[in-house]
Amino acid sequence: MDEKTIFELSRPGTPEIQMPEHDVPEMILDEVIPEKFIAPLPPPMPEVSELDVIRHFTRLSNKNFNVDANFYPLGSCTMKYNPRVGEWASRLHGFAGLHPYAGYENSQGALKLMEELSEDLCEITGMDGFTLQPAAGAHGELTALLITRAWFKDKGEDRDIILVPDTSHGTNPASAAMAGFNIRQVKSDGYGNIDIGDLKSKLDDKVACLMLTNPSTLGLFETGIEKVESLVHKAGGLLYYDGANLNALMGKSRPGDMGFDLVHLNLHKTFATPHGGGGPGSGPVGALGPLVDYLPGDELVDEDGLTVMKPRTRSIGRVRSFYGNFGVLVKAYVYIRGLGAEGLVRASECAVLSANYLATRLKEAFDLPFKRRCMHEFVLSASRQKKLGVSAMDIAKRILDFGFHAPTVYFPLIVPEALMIEPTETENKQTMDAFCEALLAIAREVEENPEIVKSAPHNTPVSRVDEAGAARKLMLCGI
Amino acid sequence: MNYLPHTGAEIKEMLEVVGAESVEELFCDIPHGVRLYDDLSLPGPLSEFEIQELMQSLSRQNRPDGENGFFLGAGAYRHFIPAAVDSIISRGEFFTAYTPYQAEASQGTLQAIFEFQTAVSGLTGLDVANASLYDGASSLAEAAQMAVMAKGKKLIMVSEGVHPEYLQTLKTYLAGKDYLVEMIPLNEGLTDLDQVKDRFPEAAAVAVQNPNFFGCLEDLSAIFNVTKEKGALGIAVISDPVTLGFLRSPGESGCDVAVGEGQPLGLPMSFGGPGFGFVAARAEHTRRLPGRIVGRTADKDGRVAYCLTLQTREQHIRREKAASNICTNQALAALAATVYLSLMGPYGLRKAAELSARLAHLAAHRICDIPGFSLLFDRPFFHEFAVRCPKDPAVLNGKLRDYGIAGGLPLKRFYPAMEDAMLFTLTECNRPEEIDRLASALREITA
Amino acid sequence: MVPNDLKYTKEHEWVRIEGGIAVTGITDHAQEMLGDIVFVELPAAGEKVEQMGKIGTIESVKTVSDLFSPISGVVKEINKIYMDRMEGAENPDFHPEYANHDPYGKGWMVKIEISNTEETANLLTPEQYEKLLEEEA
């Protein structure tokens, strides 16, 4: 059933929320604030009761697939369970009520937490220093690329090219462009690794940095990483680690040990903070050696028993206000402390086992373009199904009918009809088996009754949404 | 803590299906040279019981509010938050979902974003808004890039009344490109366009905050009349949108783009994040907006449905030619604001704004009655004001803490020359008694 | 079906020469590959264009591709159905879907005043274009 918008539910004259009747002398604001600044009418917000609000948003919530209710194997997004204790901790008044300018002496708990979290992230990644400012992965990428730019400027080198593999996230080239760089794309080889020959041909003294996701978005570990590292460094470039896929590697291998100079992490992926329907996330950036001095924000140091902030000597400046999405940092801290070193390794091991299990069970019915052990995720191709007139998108929509969220589709771009599946470590075998059964059933439907797949979904709150219509006839505001 | 679900038998079964002897074997693709063979050195693991103890203890090492008074603002605001806001955003159906890529499985999030866009359009008096950005500071940087795209010029002029951290962020963002940022000086606390008018022909945009960082009310209509005439994009910056319950909207005042910080709309200060950034614009700039945008359309059976739209602006399609690199934004915080604005309604929001302003004027009056204290700028202000103090404001703040009062912001944090100035902020959460206590404490301390 | 009264480019544009004017658009094959077209960005009238130079972009729901000029010259007219806004207001005749539904008719994109008629020799004949389609398939 259609749910009206909260604006359509508005009933003018609904008794409004009460504010305290303070004993403020009845000062007429018009006398101290010139009329030209004052709106004759308040803004057009809905007039509804509290129950109207609760009921409306509760109903809306029921139209969402979510990790709490559904298996959510969205590749590259690491939709693992979000521990409730993190939610609880971030809401403690000592954290939630704290003003960013409260002063060091009043913020010791928060500052210590940030200091320790930075140290933990250094240990997990093998980097020397972290900034917690960036609010999301792409924000972290931009930060690291602005550092790259400042670094070469200080060295007096004119390097304006960023290399990205053809499997990279779209944010990589977009961030590079925002930081004023030009892009060269590097091909993948037949094993899903970077094509070393192509890399060599694209490396020269204009290349500032190679951005690499490892494991790649194909879910494969870059087996030639040592070669890649030496080639890029020999050419005078930096190596940047896109941490979207760190969930495969905790305690197994560290970007710092692989030779990466800069790293961003997605706390809302690997470290179990929730995605919130599209944020808030957190994208801390780590750096090695002298690059640490370029990080945005201040360094947290101990001084006379207090944790205080010290400006970094060559900082590129801030990339947002205050210190980052602090509430998200609290949740990641809770997760890391709760799991400890042993728990983090177990989480990665389990994520990799689950992905390999699903890949093995599904590779009969769908094409598996790279026949290797996968890491925490894998990419199937629905090319076989496409020949029967059914696309990866159709299959994704049909999966929804079985109560599972769809995999990531059409990404990475080098795999036709891609279905990218990431189970994460928190899903039990029964759930994964049920998901396999559903996908195998859909593969049979494609052969026997393709219409039911092409016209899917059938069991969701709405049927296939007219995205073309939405883009042609823009309706972006409900009043 | 442990969130792993498998039994030993299940792990064995899965390994058999996979055809591996051990889990270790699955990591065979990692070359020896980059394998970590030592254990990570981290504290823990801790049980949830221990975690709760640890977090209680850490949180108690913060002193969030003065029990006898709280007067900090300057970009993060303590406004009233109805309990229903947290109740809605605590629903796992919202907070454990991803970005709504699969529209049919995400109608709840999508409709909520559509309502958020509607609310932001309504607040700012502009035609279109996006699904949120990181924060107010980065929103200004995004708006500057829109301006460069729209005008084909590279000079961004920013009022000195814009929050200093927004300005720092803008400069960092634009450092990669050959864009120029120039300041518009203040005259007695207000943006003075006259001093820079010969730069206008080159300006892609003029950005002005209202109320500005010092709390003063800028004459936006006059400023945006000038930008319109000179062909620059007029950007309004709003660091506390609750003020829009009472003040004329930036859209009505003639701006082209409005950006700002959404934390005051139903979110706790949380040491500076998460809040959210917003951007709204006139319709002609729709295709230059950064980030996610939700549109209303229909499903194939004709029912009302929502989906992400105008996606070709975005990084996952246009890659290096995208309008912005932003992907994850602050959706849950935007949801909180939508719920907040629905609960407050037009009149609740107006009352909160009005009460904040009235209390601020009362406080300013009481403070300036004390010998040695005076307003830094004699200009109309809203709910923040800068005061000259007879003693170092940082020292005053330290002493105020002994009275259980969190004082204002010493402005020398950002402006070394303003060493005797303190920025006070009041909201509807302040009680008149707090003002009494503040005034008498200041009187005692400076006597 | 490749209309036999038109010329083509290897970037899947078609051209109809009417006197000194080249009317151009994208082929049926191109619209099918792109899927639902939602927006087309075109050059302004009066702009100079070069043969096989980029003159615009075509956006479908999930992809963006470049549009190339089949011939050098000056843009004479662009099809108003691709303008979402005109004179500061919404264009009621905005119909990018015509590029899908009627690519050779109502979905034409740009009219170019040809500056060098010799360049028409570089265009593909219907037979050559049909062969290109076979090769690409």
Side-chain angles (χ1 to χ4, degrees):
Chain A
M1 205 185 76
D2 290 354
E3 175 74 22
K4 287 181 175 173
T5 68
I6 194 75
F7 291 88
E8 289 163 343
L9 291 169
S10 178
R11 290 168 294 108
T14 305
E16 73 242 37
I17 194 165
Q18 292 190 329
M19 286 286 125
E21 295 298 327
H22 283 329
D23 189 18
V24 191
E26 263 311 318
M27 175 189 311
I28 314 287
L29 277 183
D30 312 17
E31 284 173 10
V32 287
I33 298 178
E35 200 191 331
K36 63 180 174 183
F37 295 127
I38 302 173
L41 290 171
M45 294 300 122
E47 293 181 60
V48 284
S49 70
E50 182 166 325
L51 176 58
D52 291 338
V53 174
I54 291 286
R55 197 163 279 166
H56 169 70
F57 286 101
T58 301
R59 281 184 178 150
L60 285 189
S61 77
N62 290 333
K63 297 182 176 203
N64 268 1
F65 279 43
N66 56 90
V67 175
D68 278 6
N70 312 84
F71 180 40
Y72 215 121
L74 195 62
S76 236
C77 299
T78 315
M79 297 296 282
K80 60 172 79 175
Y81 171 65
N82 308 122
R84 288 310 191 269
V85 61
E87 299 302 309
W88 168 85
S90 70
R91 285 166 166 82
L92 290 171
H93 182 62
F95 296 130
L98 190 60
H99 192 285
Y101 298 147
Y104 298 145
E105 59 285 7
N106 301 311
S107 321
Q108 281 301 299
L111 293 170
K112 274 185 202 153
L113 183 148
M114 291 170 65
E115 188 184 13
E116 287 183 29
L117 179 61
S118 302
E119 287 164 5
D120 293 353
L121 297 179
C122 282
E123 173 64 15
I124 292 166
T125 57
M127 306 309 280
D128 293 331
F130 260 89
T131 174
L132 303 174
Q133 255 188 36
H139 205 204
E141 292 176 15
L142 176 65
T143 302
L145 289 162
L146 290 169
I147 291 172
T148 302
R149 175 163 279 279
W151 167 253
F152 285 115
K153 194 175 169 202
D154 283 359
K155 286 180 60 166
E157 291 181 39
D158 178 23
R159 291 175 180 261
D160 66 340
I161 302 289
I162 300 290
L163 299 183
V164 297
D166 53 10
T167 53
S168 72
H169 295 112
T171 48
N172 289 180
S175 302
M178 237 168 132
F181 287 103
N182 296 310
I183 317 298
R184 275 184 207 159
Q185 193 158 295
V186 184
K187 287 195 198 109
S188 302
D189 67 14
Y191 299 96
N193 284 329
I194 281 203
D195 184 322
I196 296 289
D198 195 50
L199 174 64
K200 281 181 183 161
S201 76
K202 303 223 159 118
L203 273 170
D204 57 27
D205 61 359
K206 287 286 167 198
V207 171
C209 182
L210 168 69
M211 301 178 83
L212 199 62
T213 309
N214 190 21
S216 70
T217 60
L218 295 164
L220 303 173
F221 193 90
E222 192 67 53
T223 50
I225 182 65
E226 289 159 302
K227 182 80 188 157
V228 170
E229 184 270 331
S230 82
L231 283 173
V232 173
H233 281 153
K234 265 189 199 137
L238 296 177
L239 218 53
Y240 171 79
Y241 183 84
D242 176 333
N245 289 350
L246 187 75
N247 205 43
L249 298 184
M250 291 184 290
K252 293 287 182 187
S253 184
R254 308 194 299 175
D257 299 340
M258 295 179 218
F260 285 93
D261 305 286
L262 291 159
V263 167
H264 95 256
L265 301 178
N266 300 75
L267 300 186
H268 48 291
K269 293 181 181 177
T270 313
F271 298 101
T273 75
H275 286 76
S282 177
V285 168
L288 212 55
L291 287 163
V292 171
D293 294 338
Y294 288 78
L295 292 171
D298 300 334
E299 188 185 1
L300 293 160
V301 292
D302 292 324
E303 213 175 75
D304 306 329
L306 285 184
T307 302
V308 300
M309 292 178 166
K310 274 266 163 72
R312 291 189 166 100
T313 49
R314 294 181 175 277
S315 174
I316 56 164
R318 51 174 59 256
V319 292
R320 56 158 295 160
S321 54
F322 314 123
Y323 323 112
N325 278 339
F326 177 75
V328 179
L329 304 179
V330 172
K331 298 174 199 185
Y333 177 85
V334 163
Y335 182 75
I336 293 171
R337 279 287 166 281
L339 265 64
E342 188 194 316
L344 294 178
V345 178
R346 292 274 312 276
S348 282
E349 286 179 346
C350 195
V352 170
L353 174 62
S354 294
N356 276 283
Y357 177 69
L358 283 186
T360 311
R361 286 207 58 191
L362 293 170
K363 71 180 175 192
E364 294 309 318
F366 298 89
D367 292 343
L368 185 66
F370 300 98
K371 288 164 188 60
R372 285 167 53 183
R373 291 275 187 229
C374 67
M375 299 302 287
H376 67 303
E377 67 186 1
F378 60 98
V379 179
L380 295 174
S381 167
S383 313
R384 214 187 299 171
Q385 286 73 22
K386 181 73 179 177
K387 287 193 188 112
L388 300 170
V390 178
S391 68
M393 186 59 88
D394 296 331
I395 293 169
K397 299 297 185 198
R398 183 64 178 146
I399 292 173
L400 304 177
D401 285 335
F402 289 81
F404 304 112
H405 195 277
T408 296
V409 286
Y410 300 107
F411 185 80
L413 306 173
I414 62 164
V415 175
E417 302 296 318
L419 292 162
M420 183 198 229
I421 299 173
E422 179 180 11
T424 83
E425 71 277 11
T426 53
E427 294 297 332
N428 67 28
K429 184 167 172 296
Q430 288 69 27
T431 303
M432 289 193 289
D433 284 337
F435 176 71
C436 284
E437 296 310 325
L439 263 174
L440 297 173
I442 293 168
R444 284 193 298 276
E445 283 178 346
V446 170
E447 292 174 4
E448 291 157 12
N449 182 14
E451 269 319 304
I452 196 164
V453 184
K454 283 158 81 171
S455 55
H458 306 281
N459 304 333
T460 44
V462 295
S463 59
R464 194 84 64 105
V465 175
D466 181 9
E467 294 189 22
R472 286 171 182 155
K473 184 108 193 71
L474 290 178
M475 192 169 176
L476 311 177
C477 176
I479 44 172
Chain B
M1 303 192 307
N2 183 355
Y3 302 101
L4 303 181
H6 306 314
T7 65
E10 284 170 335
I11 290 177
K12 220 172 134 220
E13 234 179 290
M14 287 162 70
L15 280 171
E16 265 167 38
V17 171
V18 169
E21 294 284 320
S22 65
V23 173
E24 184 52 38
E25 206 183 308
L26 302 175
F27 290 85
C28 59
D29 273 355
I30 306 180
H32 284 293
V34 301
R35 256 307 295 269
L36 181 69
Y37 293 104
D38 297 334
D39 292 337
L40 292 172
S41 162
L42 294 171
L46 299 178
S47 65
E48 183 175 331
F49 178 81
E50 292 164 305
I51 283 280
Q52 291 200 13
E53 274 186 337
L54 170 68
M55 298 313 285
Q56 289 280 17
S57 142
L58 269 176
S59 75
R60 286 195 193 113
Q61 292 172 48
N62 295 326
R63 292 201 296 166
D65 23 41
E67 56 275 26
N68 290 321
F70 185 88
F71 300 95
L72 264 175
Y77 298 92
R78 182 189 65 154
H79 280 291
F80 168 66
I81 305 174
V85 174
D86 198 50
S87 163
I88 292 296
I89 66 166
S90 296
R91 294 186 69 86
E93 294 89 335
F94 281 125
F95 84 79
T96 74
Y98 198 73
T99 301
Y101 291 134
Q102 294 291 342
E104 299 81 1
S106 318
Q107 284 299 300
T109 294
L110 286 162
Q111 183 171 336
I113 295 174
F114 180 80
E115 293 176 8
F116 170 76
Q117 290 171 188
T118 306
V120 172
S121 292
L123 266 184
T124 56
L126 291 164
D127 304 320
V128 288
N130 83 348
S132 83
L133 297 167
Y134 306 133
D135 72 333
S138 59
S139 302
L140 173 59
E142 294 279 3
Q145 317 222 36
M146 285 175 71
V148 172
M149 274 199 286
K151 301 293 179 186
K153 300 176 189 172
K154 295 185 169 179
L155 172 63
I156 308 294
M157 305 193 62
V158 185
S159 158
E160 266 176 9
V162 167
H163 195 298
E165 296 203 10
Y166 291 22
L167 178 65
Q168 291 165 7
T169 303
L170 175 71
K171 286 182 172 164
T172 311
Y173 260 68
L174 300 190
K177 307 256 181 86
D178 52 349
Y179 303 164
L180 229 62
V181 179
E182 280 182 21
M183 302 310 298
I184 310 172
L186 300 185
N187 174 13
E188 270 299 304
L190 290 183
T191 306
D192 186 3
L193 293 187
D194 279 350
Q195 296 189 43
V196 290
K197 60 176 176 236
D198 53 327
R199 297 294 288 144
F200 283 142
E202 283 165 61
V206 169
V208 180
Q209 180 175 320
N210 191 52
N212 70 21
F213 185 69
F214 304 99
C216 302
L217 289 163
E218 297 275 6
D219 192 346
L220 291 186
S221 300
I223 291 169
F224 294 131
N225 265 337
V226 176
T227 57
K228 188 174 244 167
E229 188 188 314
K230 305 288 180 186
L233 200 79
I235 300 174
V237 181
I238 311 290
S239 79
D240 184 356
V242 170
T243 60
L244 296 176
F246 190 76
L247 295 176
R248 267 183 84 182
S249 73
E252 208 188 324
S253 309
C255 78
D256 299 291
V257 177
V259 294
E261 171 60 52
Q263 174 273 324
L265 303 173
L267 289 145
M269 293 177 287
S270 195
F271 207 41
F276 64 88
F278 60 84
V279 56
R282 299 201 181 278
E284 68 227 57
H285 300 296
T286 305
R287 288 172 193 278
R288 293 188 194 96
L289 283 173
R292 311 284 186 210
I293 297 176
V294 169
R296 186 182 205 164
T297 179
D299 73 357
K300 97 180 149 53
D301 302 307
R303 283 173 292 203
V304 172
Y306 300 85
C307 63
L308 294 174
T309 195
L310 291 174
Q311 290 192 71
T312 44
R313 297 165 298 110
E314 291 192 70
Q315 46 77 26
H316 59 287
I317 292 177
R318 207 170 276 222
R319 296 175 75 91
E320 66 267 29
K321 298 196 180 91
S324 164
N325 71 334
I326 191 167
C327 181
T328 289
N329 46 87
Q330 306 274 121
L332 196 72
L335 171 67
T338 313
V339 177
Y340 169 84
L341 289 167
S342 305
L343 290 163
M344 297 296 281
Y347 299 100
L349 196 67
R350 186 144 183 125
K351 272 193 197 164
E354 245 185 279
L355 204 47
S356 303
R358 274 166 56 198
L359 286 161
H361 282 86
L362 175 65
H365 184 73
R366 297 288 300 278
I367 294 169
C368 295
D369 257 2
I370 307 169
F373 288 88
S374 62
L375 284 178
L376 180 61
F377 301 118
D378 186 19
R379 298 286 194 183
F381 61 90
F382 195 70
H383 68 329
E384 295 186 89
F385 54 93
V387 168
R388 270 185 211 287
C389 310
K391 272 193 177 163
D392 180 347
V395 174
L396 279 183
N397 263 352
K399 299 224 157 119
L400 283 172
R401 273 284 167 179
D402 298 339
Y403 290 81
I405 293 171
L409 177 78
L411 283 170
K412 73 173 173 200
R413 180 184 179 117
F414 297 111
Y415 308 93
M418 295 187 183
E419 52 187 3
D420 63 346
M422 173 121 92
L423 184 70
F424 287 94
T425 304
L426 286 96
T427 70
E428 73 283 4
C429 294
N430 288 99
R431 318 277 317 186
E433 306 85 86
E434 291 176 38
I435 299 172
D436 294 340
R437 289 193 287 258
L438 172 70
S440 67
L442 286 175
R443 209 176 274 275
E444 276 180 40
I445 297 166
T446 56
Chain C
M1 268 298 289
V2 172
N4 56 17
D5 56 336
L6 304 174
K7 299 269 191 179
Y8 299 88
T9 72
K10 61 177 180 24
E11 298 289 345
H12 306 284
E13 283 108 10
W14 57 263
V15 193
R16 179 186 298 119
I17 314 262
E18 297 172 347
I21 303 289
V23 186
T24 87
I26 61 167
T27 65
D28 189 49
H29 172 77
Q31 70 79 18
E32 206 175 307
M33 296 309 290
L34 285 164
D36 294 327
I37 290 166
V38 296
F39 192 66
V40 180
E41 210 181 326
L42 296 170
E47 242 175 76
K48 268 195 177 165
V49 298
E50 275 175 36
Q51 188 170 39
M52 295 327 283
K54 195 193 142 186
I55 56 166
T57 50
I58 305 174
E59 300 180 12
S60 62
V61 176
K62 297 247 152 91
T63 62
V64 182
S65 67
D66 290 335
L67 178 70
F68 299 91
S69 177
I71 204 133
S72 302
V74 175
V75 176
K76 194 84 187 142
E77 189 184 343
I78 65 167
N79 193 342
K80 304 261 186 300
I81 64 159
Y82 296 116
M83 297 176 71
D84 61 335
R85 300 179 63 79
M86 288 170 75
E87 287 147 22
E90 271 180 47
N91 174 13
D93 298 321
F94 176 62
H95 286 297
E97 67 274 17
Y98 291 169
N100 291 116
H101 302 158
D102 189 7
Y104 301 113
K106 284 193 288 184
W108 68 271
M109 289 178 177
V110 187
K111 291 184 184 173
I112 297 164
E113 194 171 342
I114 302 170
S115 62
N116 180 1
T117 47
E118 279 170 30
E119 281 181 0
T120 54
N122 303 333
L123 297 169
L124 304 179
T125 63
E127 295 73 32
Q128 286 168 325
Y129 183 62
E130 221 155 314
K131 202 165 159 233
L132 177 84
L133 290 184
E134 277 165 31
E135 282 166 14
E136 285 189 1

